[in-house]
Amino acid sequence: MAHTHSHGAHNGNRTRLAAAFGVTLVFMVAEVIGGVVSGSLALLADAGHMLTDAAALLMALLAVQFAQRKPSARHTFGLLRLTTLAAFVNAIALLVITVLIVWEALRRFYQPQPIQGGLMLGIAIAGLLANLLSFWLLHRGSEEKNLNVRAAALHVLGDLLGSVGAIVAAIIIMLTGWTPIDPILSLLVSLLVVRSAWSLLRESLHELLEGAPSHINVDKLSRELTRNIAEVRNVHHVHVWQVGEKPVLTLHVQVIPPYDHDGLLVRIHQYLHEHYQIAHATVQMEYQPCTGHDCELCAEQSSHHHSHEHLTLDGHAHHHH
């Protein structure tokens, strides 16, 4: 029953994301064409901002899709990391687009271009309506607490500012004929794009470099595990990273030989799941302290040594989901 509900939630999220992506993509193309025809750089900058939305929605869509793919022998975590790679490429592309828009804006201060205010206003209003529609589509999915959908909704909300700015610039041009407002506004929108792109670049690079998830403090985790589970004497060789939205952990625990070995292992896993939302952990239990001064550093050698010791102690390796 729970499976059916989650499957329905997945499909609902996917439908909403696909609809919002379609709307955003269509109006992004409209803004590019409108920007070129009307001569408005602000519209082109806003189209660049809409591209950040389209990319965020596409990545959210891919994440929902890949989350349903079963892992294989070749890709043991499935293909969730593809969304991170897409985010990284997208961030670099956005920064390049922003540099081009800023360059063109600076050129236009010295060589003003004629702008068709009426056409610019029409396209900007259509862009605003598209953003409102996308936001409404995504916001309906927020009760499912899906991180990707919420992130995409915030992206679209931020883009509303760009569309409002383009409308204001178009009205000023129609009323006063003062065209420098267009490159000024395109620079302001570019700042919004840079902010989105930079945080995307930083987060995706951190994940690609196997960085620990921001909400997990490894030292604190080690301390709390030792403090809260009486049999645990020492925690070391802690490695935590993220695949898609899932944190993954491996660690060694030195324990007092327990009365109930499997029961202690279950308690450690429950603690990790309840306090750190880590559902995928590999815990290696040891009864003797690590030998050698370089135990903390030499992960490969000691993990080989301990895994052998671990297998002889209890007959099987412990890997729990």
Side-chain angles (χ1 to χ4, degrees):
M1 194 72 183
H3 174 76
T4 316
H5 173 73
S6 72
H7 190 68
H10 264 304
N11 285 339
N13 280 333
R14 191 164 52 195
T15 306
R16 270 190 289 277
L17 285 165
F21 174 68
V23 169
T24 306
L25 199 65
V26 166
F27 280 95
M28 184 192 81
V29 172
E31 281 200 322
V32 170
I33 295 167
V36 171
V37 174
S38 69
S40 167
L41 191 61
L43 278 184
L44 289 174
D46 194 43
H49 202 189
M50 282 187 102
L51 179 62
T52 68
D53 293 343
L57 289 163
L58 181 61
M59 280 181 290
L61 201 53
L62 289 173
V64 170
Q65 187 62 36
F66 289 138
Q68 293 179 293
R69 285 265 183 104
K70 288 197 172 105
S72 66
R74 189 168 169 78
H75 298 108
T76 56
F77 282 112
L79 296 173
L80 288 170
R81 194 50 76 76
L82 266 180
T83 56
T84 314
L85 190 61
F88 179 71
V89 173
N90 172 38
I92 290 172
L94 287 168
L95 290 172
V96 170
I97 288 167
T98 307
V99 167
L100 295 173
I101 287 171
V102 169
W103 177 262
E104 179 63 18
L106 295 174
R107 196 180 70 80
R108 285 194 181 198
F109 280 121
Y110 297 104
Q111 299 173 336
Q113 304 285 320
I115 294 165
Q116 295 176 38
L119 179 61
M120 180 184 172
L121 181 64
I123 298 283
I125 289 171
L128 179 67
L129 293 173
N131 280 319
L132 286 169
L133 177 58
S134 293
F135 184 71
W136 177 75
L137 282 166
L138 294 170
H139 208 59
R140 287 169 60 214
S142 63
E143 73 275 3
E144 272 141 30
K145 298 286 180 276
N146 182 288
L147 189 66
N148 275 305
V149 178
R150 285 214 309 276
L154 283 174
H155 240 288
V156 173
L157 191 61
D159 196 33
L160 289 169
L161 296 169
S163 298
V164 170
I167 291 169
V168 171
I171 291 169
I172 289 172
I173 289 166
M174 286 172 74
L175 295 176
T176 67
W178 191 60
T179 55
I181 185 68
D182 184 63
I184 287 169
L185 196 86
S186 67
L187 288 174
L188 291 174
V189 174
S190 295
L191 288 175
L192 291 173
V193 178
V194 164
R195 198 184 66 174
S196 298
W198 182 250
S199 72
L200 198 60
L201 184 68
R202 207 176 58 231
E203 286 168 30
S204 57
L205 192 59
H206 181 73
E207 199 174 315
L208 289 171
L209 292 174
E210 305 285 10
S214 56
H215 67 283
I216 295 175
N217 180 324
V218 172
D219 293 334
K220 188 179 168 209
L221 184 149
S222 303
R223 279 197 311 273
E224 288 187 347
L225 209 54
T226 312
R227 192 181 302 141
N228 290 295
I229 298 178
E231 295 91 333
V232 174
R233 284 179 173 175
N234 180 268
V235 178
H236 52 281
H237 285 331
V238 183
H239 297 285
V240 57
W241 66 102
Q242 193 160 325
V243 181
E245 286 179 32
K246 293 195 293 191
V248 180
L249 173 81
T250 66
L251 53 74
H252 291 197
V253 285
Q254 185 203 340
V255 298
I256 299 165
Y259 171 70
D260 179 5
H261 182 283
D262 289 351
L264 175 58
L265 195 61
V266 167
R267 276 162 52 213
I268 292 170
H269 281 291
Q270 279 175 343
Y271 186 86
L272 292 170
H273 191 253
E274 283 169 22
H275 293 84
Y276 290 94
Q277 290 74 54
I278 296 170
H280 187 115
T282 304
V283 176
Q284 180 167 302
M285 287 166 64
E286 301 157 355
Y287 300 154
Q288 302 299 323
C290 267
T291 53
H293 70 282
D294 60 348
C295 174
E296 288 295 316
L297 302 172
C298 193
E300 288 82 19
Q301 284 182 4
S302 61
S303 106
H304 176 74
H305 168 75
H306 291 314
S307 60
H308 175 72
E309 191 177 90
H310 179 56
L311 287 167
T312 55
L313 280 166
D314 60 14
H316 63 287
H318 283 285
H319 188 134
H320 181 88
H321 288 275

